[in-house]
Amino acid sequence: MIVVGRNDHEGAETVWLIEKDKGTAVYIKANIGIPEQIKDCIDTVVGRFGRLDVLVNNAAMMTFKPIVDLEIEEWDLLMHVNLRSVFLFCKYTLPHMKNGAIVNISSVHGHQTTPNVLPYAASKGGIEAFTRGLSIEYSPDIARFNSIAPGAVDTPMLWSNPNVKSGKEKIEGMIGKPEDLAAAICFLASDEAVFINGTTLIVDGGRLDIL
């Protein structure tokens, strides 16, 4: 397994957790906002392993401003991280895939959202549309393409959300664990999901129903 990120500490921790469960992992440092670093990352993986079997696009950031207060640079940065990175990782990965699987992480915000997070919601809706398009553009012999739309998950991204911290956004219902998403990702990437292609699996503990 290859772990890609720009935070060395978090990358090392992720590798440690994988190896703790008897897996094998390698961390590659890359800023996914820079296209050349994404390409270099894929070239490194192919050079070492010769192919790619599964790609999971999970990078994301949020903004918390009304659209009229949002700087153009803030919009562009979010779209580069959340959406353009998905395009680039797929672009550079697909030539090296055969019978592979790509799982893109969307969000329930791509279906129903809240005020002041519209760029995030738009990027997640874009991910789902992009995923559906890939499933039409490429044969399953190359790869299957699916998205997962999580709800509230117990991660630093949830609890650092200023709307959650202030109580403006109420987290009602179930809160998932990272392991819950991992199980869904592994299922969609596995041969058990060979007949699932071009769709979004909502993994939210009922969150979408109360947004």
Side-chain angles (χ1 to χ4, degrees):
M1 182 179 294
I2 307 297
V3 178
V4 180
R6 64 177 185 174
N7 185 303
D8 291 340
H9 174 74
E10 292 177 355
E13 182 182 21
T14 302
V15 168
W16 178 81
L17 289 169
I18 293 168
E19 292 179 341
K20 181 182 175 184
D21 282 343
K22 311 302 181 185
T24 301
V26 176
Y27 168 66
I28 297 178
K29 185 172 185 175
N31 182 344
I32 63 169
I34 302 176
E36 293 79 11
Q37 292 194 19
I38 294 177
K39 186 177 187 305
D40 288 345
C41 171
I42 298 302
D43 289 344
T44 298
V45 174
V46 173
R48 180 166 179 174
F49 298 101
R51 72 179 198 275
L52 291 105
D53 299 315
V54 176
L55 170 66
V56 179
N57 285 304
N58 189 39
M61 63 172 290
M62 299 182 77
T63 56
F64 303 96
K65 296 179 180 179
I67 284 296
V68 295
D69 296 332
L70 193 75
E71 299 293 338
I72 294 172
E73 294 79 9
E74 292 176 300
W75 171 277
D76 286 345
L77 176 60
L78 184 146
M79 290 299 170
H80 286 174
V81 171
N82 292 13
L83 186 55
R84 190 180 71 173
S85 68
V86 176
F87 152 63
L88 289 172
F89 268 105
C90 290
K91 171 182 172 65
Y92 296 128
T93 294
L94 280 167
H96 308 288
M97 271 195 163
K98 183 177 180 181
N99 296 317
I102 293 180
V103 182
N104 297 320
I105 307 305
S106 175
S107 169
V108 291
H109 281 276
H111 300 259
Q112 181 66 36
T113 192
T114 53
N116 300 337
V117 295
L118 301 190
Y120 178 77
S123 71
K124 294 303 184 177
I127 284 174
E128 295 191 14
F130 184 70
T131 302
R132 291 192 298 271
L134 284 171
S135 72
I136 298 170
E137 197 164 305
Y138 288 89
S139 163
D141 293 341
I142 301 296
R144 293 180 296 104
F145 307 88
N146 292 292
S147 299
I148 287 178
V153 181
D154 185 12
T155 65
M157 188 173 187
L158 174 65
W159 302 119
S160 64
N161 181 328
N163 294 336
V164 173
K165 292 171 71 174
S166 68
K168 186 176 181 180
E169 181 179 347
K170 302 295 183 182
I171 303 299
E172 301 175 275
M174 298 174 63
I175 297 177
K177 297 180 292 186
E179 294 87 345
D180 298 324
L181 291 189
I185 292 168
C186 289
F187 166 67
L188 287 178
S190 74
D191 290 340
E192 293 180 347
V194 69
F195 199 51
I196 302 175
N197 191 23
T199 193
T200 297
L201 177 62
I202 296 175
V203 184
D204 71 341
R207 173 76 170 157
L208 184 57
D209 296 330
I210 56 179
L211 266 177

